[in-house]
Amino acid sequence: MTPTQPLVDQFQRRISYLRLSVTDRCDLRCAYCMPERQTFLPRKEVLSLDELHQLALGFIARGVSKIRLTGGEPLVRRDMIELVRALGRQIGQGLEELTLTTNGTRLAEFADDLAAAGVRRVNVSLDTLDRAKFAALTRRDSLPQVLEGLMAARAAGLQVKINTVALKGVNADELPDLIAWAHGQRFDLTLIEVMPLGEVEADRFDQYLPLDTVRSALEARFTLTPSPHRSGGPARYFDVAETGGRLGLITPLTNNFCEGCNRVRVSATGQLYACLGGTEQVDLRAALRSEDPEAQLELALGEAMRIKPERHHFAIRVAGAAPALARHMSLTGG
Ligand code: SAM
Ligand code: SF4
């Protein structure tokens, strides 16, 4: 594809970051992410390896310099590592960084291959170190595999960031220990507020723990100093004096961060979601499967820039409310 204009939306935000979901399937069933009986998409709906590759190249040609592969669980897709290798070859050719977000259950198997393909950093989601709690929260007894995966990632030279969703009544009490543990392992850790995306069994109101409350509680044990560090995303960072590590806070609810948004998300079916919290979408699969994919993709990306909203409007204020969006995070790509 011939290089063209960078992607800039109607609010003059430059889009340089793509989150690309490679599957909606997952081997866990985190209670805040999806229901126990989740229906997954028929395979033919999901983009092929070639289509994912072509799409990613299209974004790189439009100035996207960072791609995060996600899911569902990206490492459950069989040909995933081939995509990582293909995209790894673009690093230094427009692409600056290729990363992935994973639940870690299959990291032990893939850590070396990921590192060899050019991946330098991975985000691993982990909400508790208590095996019984992990099994109850994810509905699978996989904590030992995740811990093994984390150690393998570190041994392979990957920088690890732990992502932890703060959940009232689940891990609130454990957060200081989890932070101390992660920092002791040389992993950064970022806390995330639960978002009202998709129907799950629990009431979001019962799960939601505002991070301003968490921060006050953490300050009973730790000295938190605001850090100028930025990772290109919405997290704001603090240095933790007692551990020597870095703590990130992602606060989509208590503190809206949309002003600096630099990203779009593409689902495994090729739907571009212009905003995590909105319904604005463009069908990139139709463009890719058309007679003239290159031209159609250009048109679709132009449309995406026109419809990207200024900000999301979701909130968790009352018990019993319907989700802000019917779409689960596992579909959009976290
Ligand atoms: N399966 C991979 C994982 O868990 O890391 C990647 C996909 S997952 C959807 C990406 C991230 O979204 C995870 O860190 C997960 O904890 C987070 N997540 C899922 N549902 C969420 C929700 N409703 N609110 C906030 N974060 C959520
Ligand atoms: Fe799977 Fe990730 Fe959702 Fe958990 S958060 S169910 S690991 S997609």
Side-chain angles (χ1 to χ4, degrees), residues 300-314:
L301 292 180
E303 173 66 4
M305 292 306 100
R306 269 188 295 283
I307 63 170
K308 187 168 164 62
E310 188 170 15
R311 52 165 297 176
H312 77 70
H313 292 282
F314 55 65

Side-chain angles (χ1 to χ4, degrees), residues 24-34 71-73 102-103 125 138 329-330:
D24 67 321
R25 287 166 196 258
C26 188
D27 53 346
L28 301 183
R29 296 286 184 280
C30 301
Y32 52 81
C33 178
M34 58 170 85
E73 172 45 40
T102 171
N103 64 27
S125 304
T138 67
M329 187 88 166
S330 59

Side-chain angles (χ1 to χ4, degrees), residues 68-117:
R68 176 176 296 282
L69 301 173
T70 180
E73 172 45 40
L75 294 177
V76 302
R77 180 165 172 158
R78 243 178 294 129
D79 51 10
M80 159 73 180
I81 200 69
E82 289 170 49
L83 179 67
V84 175
R85 288 193 186 111
L87 294 181
R89 287 192 280 276
Q90 298 301 316
I91 297 173
Q93 317 285 322
L95 185 63
E96 283 166 21
E97 190 177 40
L98 177 65
T99 57
L100 88 159
T101 299
T102 171
N103 64 27
T105 58
R106 306 194 64 189
L107 248 188
E109 195 181 326
F110 289 108
D112 286 335
D113 290 340
L114 291 170

